Amino acid sequence: MNHPISRLATPFLPVQERDDKSQQEQFKDFTLDKIRQKAYETGIKLSRTSYIWKTGIAIEHNEDAHILPIYGMSDDELAATANHNFAAEIGKPDNLKENIRYSQKAQNLDHLLERERLVSNAATRSVVFSPPLVSRMDTGIIGRGTLNIIQGAYGSHKSRLAELFAALMLTSDPNNPHFLGFSRSMLERYCVCYIDTERNQSEELPFAIQGIKLKAGYTVIDQPPDFRFTSIKAIERGHRFDGIEAFLSHVREQTTLHMFCLIDVVTDAVSDFNDAKESMRLYDFIGNLCDKHDATFLLVIHQNPGTEKARGHTGTEAANKASTVIQIGFEKDASGNDTDLIRLRYLKLRRGKRPEPVYLQYREDANGLVLAEADQIAAHINHRKHKADTEDLAERLVSLLSDGPLHKHEVWTVLESEFKAKNATIRERLKTIIEQHPPMYDDEGRAVRLSDYKESRNQFYKLVTID
């Protein structure tokens, strides 16, 4: 009967005794003393220097190498394995998958332990928060290393606003009035990376790039080294993540500056913006890029038609992940038609209390957005208050209910007084807010919704955090 060890096929096969000294010399580096000794004890004669393992490639001599369990067996235990098909068992796909899974778990553990070490070291020192990259009137708007959103309906100038931020990060004159009161630090330079997904590359994208350069103080023929741009429009959607990462990795190799990255429009980076898993994968991907490349991201996204919500699960997840969410859109007149007044509204600001909306207009002669006139703004705000718009009511409810639930009569009285509206109008608007869940964020930047409940004969309104 063949000895069980001699029956082992690939991936493990001992080489039998070789008398030729040159062959012994060839295999001496693969000698494992313990394995050789055990093999000798179990009756297999091997030369002292000609024992190797075959795993497709030879394994170098290593005293700490893993020794197969059969070499710890007694003679009786080894004899019991005589008819066992070791080769078939070793080659099972399930075992291969298990090995891969174990390897991945080990890598993940190494990564997590390294994160623990870094955070532990940082937690022993005084934490100094970096100043915001973009501010307005002493309020931080975009923080370093964060993910930020501009959302709006079709034709709402959201891309122009994104281009304005790109120009602001490039310019040497951040106090220029055409930056609408937004400012950045003069003490640091940035590398701006603009990634487009939908414009044609013969006219539309070159024109947008020209506009950014002109607003930043360059001429059309200038090629600023810290301004990089491309389009992923021609890349298949399934490969766009790889394309984005490849481009940003290439830029990172060429600069040490902090990277300010814009993706316009981010829903075009995924195959299905209604797929929750793909949307979460997108923002995990972008969040990792922030850390990997020392980058800040500003993402442009469409709103669903007729609503204030950003498109699909990608938009929902964007609101959850983003540090700042800015909404831009045309204001309506009494008939529900668009006016030429544009409102820039902060839906979410994780860094602090949300500022008042900014009112803008688009002017052809400026080829961009400008601040609206004060009298026009005052007239429109007065109109909105009398209209008791659900957006304004929702925004007021966040502050009104910030300390906890309030009796319904108290809420109605406050809103009737402030919006100069009838009780029936206020109650109807509040019902709409409860049913439609317009975007609402508390002072901590958490998404909330309006809810009502009853205790005995008393009825209350409260804000509920959305998980």
Side-chain angles (χ1 to χ4, degrees), residues 325-394:
V325 180
I326 299 173
Q327 180 192 57
I328 186 171
F330 285 99
E331 292 290 80
K332 306 288 186 181
D333 60 19
S335 302
N337 300 315
D338 287 346
T339 67
D340 62 352
L341 197 64
I342 300 167
R343 185 170 68 153
L344 189 156
R345 179 185 174 204
Y346 303 95
L347 296 183
K348 179 181 180 181
L349 193 66
R350 188 173 288 168
R351 282 181 164 252
K353 185 177 180 180
R354 288 176 294 158
E356 292 296 316
V358 180
Y359 289 91
L360 312 169
Q361 288 179 301
Y362 173 73
R363 280 200 353 218
E364 288 283 353
D365 59 335
N367 188 30
L369 301 170
V370 299
L371 293 172
E373 299 293 334
D375 56 346
Q376 185 180 13
I377 297 172
H380 184 75
I381 291 176
N382 186 55
H383 163 72
R384 287 186 69 98
K385 283 189 174 181
H386 283 83
K387 183 183 175 183
D389 192 276
T390 54
E391 294 179 19
D392 297 315
L393 285 177

Side-chain angles (χ1 to χ4, degrees), residues 379-424:
H380 184 75
I381 291 176
N382 186 55
H383 163 72
R384 287 186 69 98
K385 283 189 174 181
H386 283 83
K387 183 183 175 183
D389 192 276
T390 54
E391 294 179 19
D392 297 315
L393 285 177
E395 194 164 328
R396 180 66 181 95
L397 287 167
V398 169
S399 59
L400 190 61
L401 300 174
S402 60
D403 293 330
L406 287 178
H407 198 282
K408 283 190 173 183
H409 285 289
E410 184 176 351
V411 174
W412 295 338
T413 300
V414 171
L415 296 180
E416 287 172 35
S417 174
E418 292 185 4
F419 287 88
K420 305 294 189 295
K422 296 180 179 179
N423 179 271

Side-chain angles (χ1 to χ4, degrees), residues 31-50:
T31 300
L32 297 172
D33 293 337
K34 293 181 181 178
I35 296 176
R36 188 185 64 244
Q37 180 64 30
K38 191 65 180 179
Y40 178 80
E41 293 172 357
T42 53
I44 294 181
K45 293 183 179 181
L46 303 173
S47 70
R48 295 184 178 182
T49 59
S50 63

Side-chain angles (χ1 to χ4, degrees), residues 142-155:
I142 296 178
R144 190 185 192 93
T146 60
L147 187 157
N148 307 274
I149 301 293
I150 296 175
Q151 70 174 64
Y154 285 106

Side-chain angles (χ1 to χ4, degrees), residues 150-161:
I150 296 175
Q151 70 174 64
Y154 285 106
S156 61
H157 298 292
K158 55 186 178 294
S159 291
R160 279 196 173 88
L161 181 61

